[in-house]
Amino acid sequence: MDTNRTQGGRRTWLLTLGMALAGLTVSSLTYAQDQGQGGGVGLAARESAPIDLTGYWTAVITEDWAQRMLTPARGDFGGGPPGAVRTPGRAPIGTGADPTDEGNIPYEAAGAQAALAWNPADADTCMAYGAPGIMRQPTRFRIAWKDDDTLQLETDLGVQTRLFHFADPPRPGRMNYIGGRFVPPRATAPTGPPNGLEPSPQGHSIASWTSMGGSNAVVERGGYLKVETTNLTPGYYWRNGMPYTGDAVLTEHFRVMELPDGSSWILLSLMVEDPEYLNQPFLVHYHFKKLPDGSTWDPVPCL
């Protein structure tokens, strides 16, 4: 028996098997990458959704209770009215050259001074119901698909409607090892507002899915929704005139969590960047619980 020939054949067989497995692994990774943005190449946003956000939801006020449930005093940046709270060794919050120092909103001095100039007698109450403010309200909202590539969010408090427009995400070039060909990169679709679109309280929102898992029957599919909103009119974060400018950019991430008691929750992060009024991004995290139906849906105008 030719031992060298036998061992050589075995090595050749193992090498062939290894190359085949490597090809399958790369193909699986390539498939997973294809699924990572948008849930599937060429699929409409509704069809490719990795999570289900549709239905009725209600805000559960566990953060910023006074600012969200009440109309705080002028100059309450999250620590009470000016001078009400004092950190040892520092000036009282709401006083000094930058009144927002030590407050919850990272204002530049110009933003803080604009907040202190708020006059409730002259204010437009709906200015607290624009996109950077509406999700802070103690509201219920209803999410449904307006069409295959537009998700609609309506609030009963303030009777506001937001539209999330999905755009094809960019995709880097890659090798398709099964087909033996290079798949060229795909540039992202335009994400800015259409030419001539007037700014509005809800602005123009571009949405995208990020999918995770779901490559086989064992790995459950999940992910989250990212929404970026621009083209805004000036408004308020809270109902006490905490302002943002028309140049503000709102970025939101919607995640869904299922609890052992069977309840469904949205974990929402909101980040606002506003170079004129903020010295760093303003980030908060809020929670919303899914309702069984729309029986408590009660549209009311801005308060």
Side-chain angles (χ1 to χ4, degrees):
M1 180 177 181
D2 191 337
T3 304
N4 290 334
R5 180 177 299 177
T6 301
Q7 292 176 344
R10 185 174 301 160
R11 284 196 296 270
T12 301
W13 180 82
L14 290 173
L15 179 61
T16 302
L17 177 61
M19 292 176 66
L21 291 174
L24 287 173
T25 301
V26 171
S27 298
S28 298
L29 290 174
T30 301
Y31 174 80
Q33 290 170 354
D34 284 347
Q35 302 301 308
Q37 293 285 345
V41 177
L43 297 179
R46 188 204 305 245
E47 188 177 357
S48 63
I51 56 175
D52 183 12
L53 292 169
T54 61
Y56 292 86
W57 306 81
T58 186
V60 178
I61 312 297
T62 55
E63 301 88 7
D64 300 330
W65 191 93
Q67 289 75 28
R68 298 171 70 186
M69 295 297 295
L70 309 173
T71 299
R74 177 171 52 198
D76 183 346
F77 297 98
V85 177
R86 182 188 184 100
T87 302
R90 295 180 179 270
I93 295 176
T95 64
D98 184 355
T100 190
D101 189 32
E102 299 294 315
N104 288 358
I105 305 177
Y107 273 130
E108 296 279 5
Q113 290 160 3
L116 289 171
W118 175 70
N119 183 350
D122 300 330
D124 177 357
T125 57
C126 283
M127 288 185 69
Y129 293 76
I134 188 60
M135 304 303 284
R136 304 168 195 269
Q137 300 285 351
T139 185
R140 302 175 189 86
F141 59 83
R142 174 172 58 196
I143 298 179
W145 287 98
K146 183 178 182 185
D147 57 49
D148 284 347
D149 286 308
T150 308
L151 197 59
Q152 179 171 285
L153 185 152
E154 303 169 272
T155 70
D156 64 351
L157 186 58
V159 195
Q160 301 294 312
T161 299
R162 303 182 63 191
L163 297 177
F164 301 155
H165 307 279
F166 284 79
D168 288 337
R171 183 185 64 194
R174 61 176 178 81
M175 277 299 299
N176 182 328
Y177 288 93
I178 292 179
R181 62 186 179 86
F182 178 73
V183 180
R186 179 183 63 196
T188 185
T191 58
N195 291 334
L197 181 67
E198 291 293 324
S200 65
Q202 302 308 327
H204 183 73
S205 298
I206 294 295
S208 61
W209 295 118
T210 291
S211 299
M212 296 175 286
S215 58
N216 54 53
V218 177
V219 181
E220 184 178 357
R221 190 181 185 198
Y224 60 87
L225 174 67
K226 177 183 177 181
V227 180
E228 184 172 289
T229 302
T230 57
N231 206 46
L232 293 159
T233 51
Y236 304 147
Y237 297 115
W238 297 329
R239 282 175 284 185
N240 64 335
M242 295 291 124
Y244 57 84
T245 73
D247 293 327
V249 177
L250 170 66
T251 303
E252 299 164 283
H253 290 86
F254 293 75
R255 295 173 171 85
V256 174
M257 177 176 64
E258 306 289 338
L259 295 188
D261 64 0
S263 61
S264 297
W265 294 72
I266 285 178
L267 284 66
L268 175 63
S269 67
L270 302 93
M271 181 179 74
V272 179
E273 298 169 279
D274 188 359
E276 182 178 350
Y277 275 2
L278 300 178
N279 57 41
Q280 65 184 35
F282 177 28
L283 176 66
V284 295
H285 301 277
Y286 292 148
H287 306 86
F288 302 85
K289 186 176 182 180
K290 191 166 191 177
L291 299 171
D293 51 44
S295 59
T296 59
W297 184 254
D298 183 25
V300 296
C302 306
L303 300 175

